[in-house]
Structures are given as structure tokens and as C-alpha cells.
Amino acid sequence: MSTQEELPYDVYQDRCPTRLVLDRLADKWALLILDRLKDGPVRFNSLKRDIMRITPKVLSETLRKLERDGLIARAVFATVPVTVEYSLSPLGDTLTDTVSALAHWAERNMDAVLAAQAAYDAAITAAAIPTPGLHRLR
Amino acid sequence: MSTQEELPYDVYQDRCPTRLVLDRLADKWALLILDRLKDGPVRFNSLKRDIMRITPKVLSETLRKLERDGLIARAVFATVPVTVEYSLSPLGDTLTDTVSALAHWAERNMDAVLAAQAAYDAAITAAAIPTPGLHRLR
DNA sequence: CGGCATCCTTGCCGATACTG
DNA sequence: CAGTATCGGCAAGGATGCCG
């Protein structure tokens, strides 16, 4: 808010189109796809295999949304059977460092998060049982 | 995948706990909250005002999830009425640069995205009408 | 001020087919 | 191989009201 130039868009504003883009990026599958594409073009079924548990439906939908937003490009080759490659567009390429950092932050800090969760849950449980061991009969 | 060390966690894997964290971060509201906290502690209703259209319920829920994950800290002051401040934890602080970059990327590249969307929609519409103007009589 | 409880809707997402 | 079609469930999230 301080070091940043004045822009016509403000993601904090409701009804700002940036909210729509943020919604797109704030999607687990979209982040994984963009991250997966950062090393070069990847084919549909390769994406489907690499991003475990994604269904073809969701993969297809997410790819089309990303393509519509100009973040990825779709290339069709008239082979038999047909070959389709997805790759980052120049615009999408400006995002990958950030997206990749976010997607992999969890991997680097997973232990800390798990520890925090355990501590939080323990505190909550302790609070829920004011004097543990008391009132045990009945 | 190449320049990266081998980690015990892999966000591409199903059943990997990192997926849960990615789910948390891949949330529009969580991103906005984390970004909003990067300049210092903020109170509940201030967040509610700044992040337009967020409901108290969703704000409260998201804050608690972020607190449970150890990304933010909650401080209560026994004033009248009570004052509650939310701030980034040291762990959360390691995320803000990335989160902020993602949240504001949309603001910087909104025009390009809107142009891409318009081009995409125009191409789709054109494809849906093979030869415009032909077959016009019935 | 800073929430929580409740109800209710919607739309996303997964599962499961089927097609060019 | 690269998708589309259809269906159903379930949980995220909005609206509202109340409380310490």
C-alpha cells in the first residue's frame, strides 16, 4: 500500500475484475498446472498422470479457463491419434516464479505447519476440558 | 523438479499433507488476509472493512484456519470493548512476499488478461458460426 | 467490538461413463 | 489420446440474528 504505485485496479475492492483473476489463481489445480508447465510443454494425459487425483473433467475445465485468461497456450498436432500440448504463454511465464514459490512453500514448511496444527489442537482440547481428569465419575 | 532438492513432501502427490496446505493457500480470502497483514497487526473489523464483500463468518473461519496452521497470531487485549489484533507469525512472514506477489499480479496484468479473454471469446464465437451470413434464409 | 450459531442455497468437484 | 456428458453430494459461503 505504501511502496506501490497507484494502479487502476485494486484487488481489495469488490467488483474489481482483478477479483476474478485472483479467484482463478486461488485454485489448487490451477496452481499445480501452471507449476507443472514451467519446464516446457506438457500433454493432456501427462498432466493428468502427474497431478495426482485430478479428474479429466476438472483438468479440462481448468486448462480452458487458463487458456481463456491468456496464461497458457494450446497446440494441436494432427498426428494419429491427435497430440495436444499445453504450454505457458509469455504472460503466464511472468507468473510461474510466484506460483511455483507458493506451490512449493508447503513442501518446505510442512513440518512447521503440522507442528503448529498439533499445538493449536492440543490447546483447544485442553481449553475444552477445564480440569482434565476431574468429573470423571459419571 | 530439476533444480530442486529432494524433499520428503511432494505437492503433486495425492494424500500428501502439503495438498492440505496448498488448499489453504489456494483461497482468495486467505491470500487477501495474508497480504493485508504484511504491514503490521490489523484488527478484525478493520480487515472486514478493507477486504470488501467478505462476511464476518468467512473472515472468522479463515482467520482461525490460518492461525491453526501457524501462519498468523491472534492477540486479545482486555479493553472495553475487547480489542483483537491479528498479525503475521514468523512462519507466515516467510510467505508474504510470495502471497503479495500473487495477489497483486492480477492488478498489474489485468489489462492483458481482459484482452486475452476478449480475443478468446471472439474466436469461440466465430468458430460457432462457420460462415457468418451464409445460410441466412431459414 | 469481535465474534459464534443457524439456516439455506449454490456451485464446485469427484465419479463414472461415453466419443471422435 | 484428448477430451465431453451427466449426475449427485457436500461443503463453502452468504444472510441473518444473537451474545460476551
Side-chain angles (χ1 to χ4, degrees), chain B residues 43-45 60 64 74 84 86:
Chain B
R43 294 167 61 177
F44 185 90
N45 277 314
S60 175
R64 229 176 312 114
R74 181 176 182 269
V84 179
Y86 291 92

Side-chain angles (χ1 to χ4, degrees), chain A residues 84-134:
Chain A
V84 179
E85 271 186 3
Y86 291 93
S87 58
L88 290 173
S89 70
L91 182 61
D93 198 49
T94 67
L95 243 184
T96 45
D97 283 347
T98 301
V99 166
S100 185
L102 190 66
H104 293 293
W105 181 94
E107 292 177 349
R108 287 196 310 279
N109 297 95
M110 193 64 229
D111 291 328
V113 171
L114 289 176
Q117 288 179 348
Y120 183 92
D121 293 344
I124 293 296
T125 303
I129 308 171
T131 40
L134 229 62

Side-chain angles (χ1 to χ4, degrees), chain B residues 28 48 74 88 91 119:
Chain B
K28 175 178 60 177
K48 181 162 147 21
R74 181 176 182 269
L88 290 173
L91 181 62

Side-chain angles (χ1 to χ4, degrees), chain B residues 120-138:
Chain B
Y120 183 92
D121 293 344
I124 292 295
T125 303
I129 307 169
T131 40
L134 228 62
H135 309 300
R136 284 303 296 278
L137 56 108
R138 257 232 110 239

Side-chain angles (χ1 to χ4, degrees), chain A residues 31-32 35 97-114 116-117, chain B residues 4 7 9-11 17-26 34 66 69-72 88-99:
Chain A
L31 292 179
L32 288 173
D35 179 62
D97 283 347
T98 301
V99 166
S100 185
L102 190 66
H104 293 293
W105 181 94
E107 292 177 349
R108 287 196 310 279
N109 297 95
M110 193 64 229
D111 291 328
V113 171
L114 289 176
Q117 288 179 348
Chain B
Q4 179 192 337
L7 289 165
Y9 300 113
D10 177 7
V11 78
T18 53
R19 277 286 179 90
L20 300 176
V21 177
L22 186 61
D23 259 330
R24 177 98 349 114
L25 297 179
L34 287 173
L66 291 173
D69 289 346
L71 298 177
I72 65 176
L88 290 173
S89 69
L91 181 62
D93 198 49
T94 68
L95 244 183
T96 44
D97 283 347
T98 301
V99 166

Side-chain angles (χ1 to χ4, degrees), chain A residues 66-89:
Chain A
L66 291 172
E67 187 193 0
R68 179 171 183 266
D69 288 347
L71 298 178
I72 66 175
R74 180 175 182 271
V76 182
F77 302 94
T79 54
V80 178
V82 65
T83 299
V84 179
E85 271 186 3
Y86 291 93
S87 58
L88 290 173
S89 70

Side-chain angles (χ1 to χ4, degrees), chain A:
Chain A
M1 223 185 258
S2 44
T3 62
Q4 180 190 336
E5 329 131 35
E6 224 32 63
L7 289 165
Y9 300 112
D10 176 8
V11 78
Y12 285 106
Q13 294 290 323
D14 181 29
R15 301 180 195 291
C16 178
T18 53
R19 277 287 179 92
L20 300 176
V21 177
L22 186 60
D23 258 331
R24 177 103 344 119
L25 297 179
D27 171 45
K28 176 178 60 177
W29 301 124
L31 292 179
L32 288 173
I33 290 172
L34 288 173
D35 179 62
R36 185 67 190 79
L37 292 182
K38 78 171 191 292
D39 293 326
V42 183
R43 294 167 61 177
F44 185 89
N45 277 315
S46 179
L47 284 170
K48 180 163 149 15
R49 273 189 303 274
D50 294 343
I51 302 173
M52 301 194 64
R53 254 283 148 123
I54 195 171
T55 62
K57 180 192 176 216
V58 171
L59 178 56
S60 174
E61 286 171 354
T62 309
L63 285 170
R64 231 176 310 114
K65 289 174 186 170
L66 291 172
E67 187 193 0
R68 179 171 183 266
D69 288 347
L71 298 178
I72 66 175
R74 180 175 182 271
V76 182
F77 302 94
T79 54
V80 178
V82 65
T83 299
V84 179
E85 271 186 3
Y86 291 93
S87 58
L88 290 173
S89 70
L91 182 61
D93 198 49
T94 67
L95 243 184
T96 45
D97 283 347
T98 301
V99 166
S100 185
L102 190 66
H104 293 293
W105 181 94
E107 292 177 349
R108 287 196 310 279
N109 297 95
M110 193 64 229
D111 291 328
V113 171
L114 289 176
Q117 288 179 348
Y120 183 92
D121 293 344
I124 293 296
T125 303
I129 308 171
T131 40
L134 229 62
H135 309 303
R136 285 303 296 278
L137 55 110
R138 192 95 239 303

